[in-house]
Amino acid sequence: MTQPSSEDLVSRRSFLDWLLGLGVVGTLAAAILPIFRYLKPLPQQGASGPVHLSAQDTATLDHDQFVIVRSGATRLLVFEDSSQKLRCLSAKCTHEGCTVQYVPGDGVIWCACHNGRFDVDGRVISGPPPRPLEAFRVDKEGKDIVIDGKLT
Amino acid sequence: MNQPAISNPVYRWLDRRYSLGNLVEFLKHKEVPLGDHPMVWYYLGGTTLFFFLVQIATGLLLLLYYKPGEASSYESIRFITTKVPFGWLIRSVHCWSAHLMIVSLTVHMFSTMMLKAYRPPREITWITGFLLFAIGLGFGFSGYLLPWNELAYFATSVGTDSVKAVPGIGEWLLQVMRGGHDVSINTLYRFFALHVVALPLLIFALISIHLLLIQRQGMAPPLTHESKGPGMKFFPNFLLRDLLLWLLCLIGLMILAVMLPYGPGVPGVEWELGLKANPLQPAYPGIKPEWYFLWIYQLLKEFPPHLWVMEGPQAALLMVSVLMGSWALVPWLDRKARADKPSPGFSDYGVGAILFVVFLTLKAWDIGGHGHGAEVDVRAVARVCAWWTLGLAALITVFRFLVYRHRWFLFSGGIALHVALHGLLGMSYLRALVAAAVVVVIAWALTLVTGSSARTMRRVSQ
């Protein structure tokens, strides 16, 4: 039987080193991947149907001329513009995610964090926000105010 | 050489078990190098450590009463500050020492930069220091949310939203940080775990490495031409001075904590509890993050909605990343300091960085704006802040020119030009920055060309 040369031995050792390294990396990956998946939160349930404003929300709307309500994971700004038309926009500023407000005197939507301004349709007027606010359909049915999906 | 025996029985008991001779020998020979610069810069690492230890002690005490939760976070902080005996003092000391730790850490980092203490073989010490600075800011950011008040909610909302600008993993990172799409009580749980478990473990490990490297390699000596022969004995001369400074820091901290228990009342340096967080309330006018994030907050304001293919916030954060990255890589970029030669360009880079951050921070405070929120006159703010920054730039330049005989002012001059173009001539922030950068590059190129021709002329004449 022929003896393996020293070169064969080295390559066999290199192969075993490589195999061991692969095993270590594989084991670590198998341990870490579930942690990465665990860190990401479960998807939040969106609103499954129309959102009805509560009596308290309606009272706030009458008093402040705007109210912020929740629809699933989304915050919505409901307000009456200068022509008394009811409107609904996303309340999350497209710049850095602060909650915006309606300024009745100026007829604009304003974000206090970085001084972003939008018109009543949600279009950017000035400041750093890169995109318009999303608009939602809102209707008044008697005393009931209902938000029902995005405007296309 | 025989060592004089230490007669203390406790020492002898320990020495028999752990052979303390080597340690004693090491301490006897440990020296702090002396140079042209004031010794004060060598104490800042120690003061940072002191404020960090105060953080740990007061943080543990706050943990005895703090209850994280939607119905308990805000209420437990109010309970601590209004009902628990000296609870207000513990919280005040915790908040004050957090701010003073960041001050000390920042000055320590800048002094290290100016003294070129990062040059070989201390690159890894610089990197661990840079990481410690980042973790220090992480402590501030994660701790800010824990009182669950209005300020905490919106500051965290803005701070976390900016991570979505990270290419590829931004949205994943945002959700992991927030525990959902928006800032909620899930975010508080995550930040609480980060603030009291993950970051302390990380910072203890990094401080250990940082200190071990300093002990192993010694404190960085001054550049050869600034050196002043033998240094000061670390034990007991330097150590006793260090401890005396710690005592002064403790006295100062207690005076501040007692006299101003809710901070000096400057936006970004206040911890009045205010109203409880309500995600369904709009952000209130004048809302500001902590003072050390103000320059990034202002930069986010200065960028237009879109820049080339990027959205404004993405471009702003890319700029911050490039600046921070270049700061971390200074030990490798500064080739003159690597060769133990003066590198005035990098000293000037440090001064330029200070002026850049000061101008943005002053603007974020709306200095000279006469009004609040949307009513602030942004032109007036830019003008007044420009004058303040240019005044500071002039002072630093004269000091460097006369005291340190510096003759290299390209970066700081570029920032001064940028400030003047934007604040005094009304150019937009970004256009002024680009214009100043172009001028700096041309001036630099001219310096290189004239420098190389002068060298050639000298060689020819020889």
Side-chain angles (χ1 to χ4, degrees):
Chain A
M1 200 174 114
T2 53
Q3 289 292 315
S5 68
S6 61
E7 252 180 41
D8 287 342
L9 279 173
V10 170
S11 67
R12 190 178 301 162
R13 181 170 295 168
S14 311
F15 175 72
L16 287 173
D17 283 347
W18 184 82
L19 208 61
L20 185 66
L22 196 69
V24 170
V25 170
T27 310
L28 287 177
I32 288 168
L33 279 176
I35 296 173
F36 272 83
R37 186 59 198 90
Y38 178 86
L39 285 171
K40 189 178 174 186
L42 293 171
Q44 285 169 302
Q45 290 294 314
S48 52
V51 176
H52 294 258
L53 262 64
S54 68
Q56 196 188 342
D57 291 335
T58 313
T60 310
L61 178 63
D62 288 339
H63 184 263
D64 298 341
Q65 291 180 270
F66 74 91
V67 66
I68 297 160
V69 295
R70 200 175 268 291
S71 167
T74 316
R75 284 166 284 153
L76 300 172
L77 174 77
V78 183
F79 61 99
E80 267 186 351
D81 65 17
S82 52
S83 59
Q84 307 297 306
K85 188 182 172 193
L86 205 56
R87 290 172 181 270
C88 179
L89 298 169
S90 164
K92 191 175 172 180
C93 180
T94 55
H95 183 228
E96 288 294 315
C98 275
T99 311
V100 297
Q101 58 188 290
Y102 177 57
V103 186
D106 300 341
V108 295
I109 315 297
W110 179 54
C111 178
C113 285
H114 295 94
N115 208 16
R117 285 161 177 266
F118 305 84
D119 68 12
V120 290
D121 291 317
R123 288 182 295 242
V124 181
I125 303 172
S126 65
R131 277 164 283 116
L133 297 169
E134 280 185 321
F136 290 77
R137 189 178 297 112
V138 61
D139 291 307
K140 200 167 188 176
E141 297 167 4
K143 283 188 175 177
D144 196 17
I145 296 173
V146 187
I147 304 162
D148 192 9
K150 283 181 196 170
L151 280 176
T152 49
Chain B
M1 200 173 84
N2 284 337
Q3 296 299 318
I6 298 175
S7 58
N8 187 313
V10 177
Y11 173 82
R12 276 192 281 117
W13 189 86
L14 286 171
D15 189 34
R16 275 198 297 276
R17 283 153 185 83
Y18 306 111
S19 304
L20 297 180
N22 289 342
L23 184 65
V24 171
E25 197 60 20
F26 170 74
L27 285 176
K28 270 185 184 168
H29 290 96
K30 188 174 162 58
E31 280 188 347
V32 177
L34 297 177
D36 285 343
H37 49 266
M39 277 290 284
V40 65
W41 306 122
Y42 282 148
Y43 296 105
L44 292 165
T47 52
T48 308
L49 181 63
F50 167 76
F51 288 122
F52 174 69
L53 294 176
V54 174
Q55 286 296 100
I56 297 292
T58 48
L60 279 171
L61 291 171
L62 289 172
L63 268 180
L64 302 181
Y65 291 97
Y66 178 73
K67 297 182 194 123
E70 189 135 40
S72 59
S73 285
Y74 177 83
E75 288 74 7
S76 61
I77 295 283
R78 200 163 60 182
F79 180 72
I80 289 170
T81 49
T82 58
K83 301 275 191 245
V84 179
F86 291 109
W88 63 272
L89 182 64
I90 302 294
R91 179 167 182 254
S92 177
V93 171
H94 192 70
C95 295
W96 268 113
S97 65
H99 286 275
L100 292 173
M101 184 181 84
I102 300 288
V103 171
S104 181
L105 191 53
T106 309
V107 181
H108 178 46
M109 193 172 68
F110 270 92
S111 63
T112 310
M113 167 84 180
M114 295 299 176
L115 297 176
K116 314 287 154 54
Y118 48 71
R119 61 193 195 280
R122 293 176 177 79
E123 301 97 324
I124 303 298
T125 317
W126 168 265
I127 290 291
T128 52
F130 179 81
L131 292 175
L132 283 168
F133 177 71
I135 294 174
L137 298 186
F139 264 112
F141 186 60
S142 55
Y144 213 47
L145 181 64
L146 303 187
W148 197 238
N149 56 8
E150 265 192 329
L151 178 62
Y153 180 83
F154 288 114
T156 309
S157 215
V158 172
T160 49
D161 206 72
S162 48
V163 303
K164 73 174 188 283
V166 178
I169 57 162
E171 191 57 37
W172 178 84
L173 206 57
L174 178 73
Q175 289 204 33
V176 167
M177 280 181 86
R178 287 183 171 174
H181 281 284
D182 271 325
V183 173
S184 67
I185 200 67
N186 295 333
T187 321
L188 187 138
Y189 294 142
R190 287 175 184 229
F191 274 39
F192 180 64
L194 206 63
H195 193 74
V196 305
V197 181
L199 290 179
L201 283 175
L202 203 58
I203 205 166
F204 269 120
L206 270 172
I207 288 175
S208 306
I209 297 171
H210 194 71
L211 292 179
L212 190 75
L213 290 175
I214 293 167
Q215 296 315 311
R216 183 80 184 147
Q217 298 178 318
M219 281 187 191
L223 290 167
T224 306
H225 73 286
E226 292 175 348
S227 191
K228 270 190 177 170
M232 179 193 281
K233 288 270 180 211
F234 179 84
F235 188 83
N237 304 33
F238 185 82
L239 186 67
L240 287 176
R241 285 161 199 238
D242 218 3
L243 291 176
L244 181 65
L245 186 61
W246 283 30
L247 188 66
L248 292 175
C249 285
L250 182 64
I251 294 168
L253 179 63
M254 293 312 289
I255 291 173
L256 287 171
V258 171
M259 302 301 285
L260 300 165
Y262 296 103
V266 179
V269 203
E270 56 184 351
W271 42 91
E272 193 84 58
L273 200 51
L275 296 172
K276 186 172 174 171
N278 180 359
L280 298 183
Q281 280 293 317
Y284 60 87
I287 188 163
K288 301 271 188 286
E290 283 175 299
W291 61 270
Y292 39 86
F293 290 126
L294 280 174
W295 68 280
I296 300 177
Y297 160 88
Q298 187 61 31
L299 203 62
L300 282 165
K301 256 179 160 178
E302 301 290 358
F303 270 64
H306 297 277
L307 195 68
W308 297 307
V309 291
M310 285 179 283
E311 289 189 346
Q314 276 182 320
L317 291 165
L318 178 68
M319 183 175 166
V320 172
S321 308
V322 170
L323 290 176
M324 298 302 268
S326 68
W327 193 259
L329 293 176
V330 156
W332 290 274
L333 298 175
D334 187 355
R335 282 182 296 176
K336 281 191 175 171
R338 287 181 81 82
D340 197 33
K341 287 180 186 160
S343 57
F346 279 83
S347 302
D348 197 49
Y349 177 60
V351 175
I354 292 171
L355 295 175
F356 179 77
V357 169
V358 164
F359 182 53
L360 284 169
T361 305
L362 292 177
K363 278 194 83 182
W365 266 319
D366 294 330
I367 288 176
H370 309 299
H372 290 289
E375 297 156 10
V376 167
D377 180 355
V378 287
R379 287 289 316 117
V381 170
R383 193 170 53 249
V384 173
C385 296
W387 281 120
W388 277 104
T389 312
L390 290 172
L392 178 70
L395 271 178
I396 297 177
T397 307
V398 169
F399 183 78
R400 288 173 61 205
F401 187 83
L402 295 177
V403 179
Y404 288 108
R405 299 182 188 283
H406 284 179
R407 298 291 182 266
W408 216 98
F409 304 104
L410 214 51
F411 286 130
S412 55
I415 296 295
L417 176 66
H418 154 62
V419 168
L421 289 175
H422 173 59
L424 306 183
L425 299 185
M427 223 184 232
S428 85
Y429 183 87
L430 219 54
R431 277 190 187 155
L433 194 64
V434 172
V438 169
V439 172
V440 167
V441 169
I442 292 171
W444 199 356
L446 283 174
T447 316
L448 290 177
V449 170
T450 50
S452 102
S453 4
R455 275 194 300 274
T456 315
M457 290 293 283
R458 271 200 301 275
R459 248 182 262 133
V460 169
S461 61
Q462 279 163 8

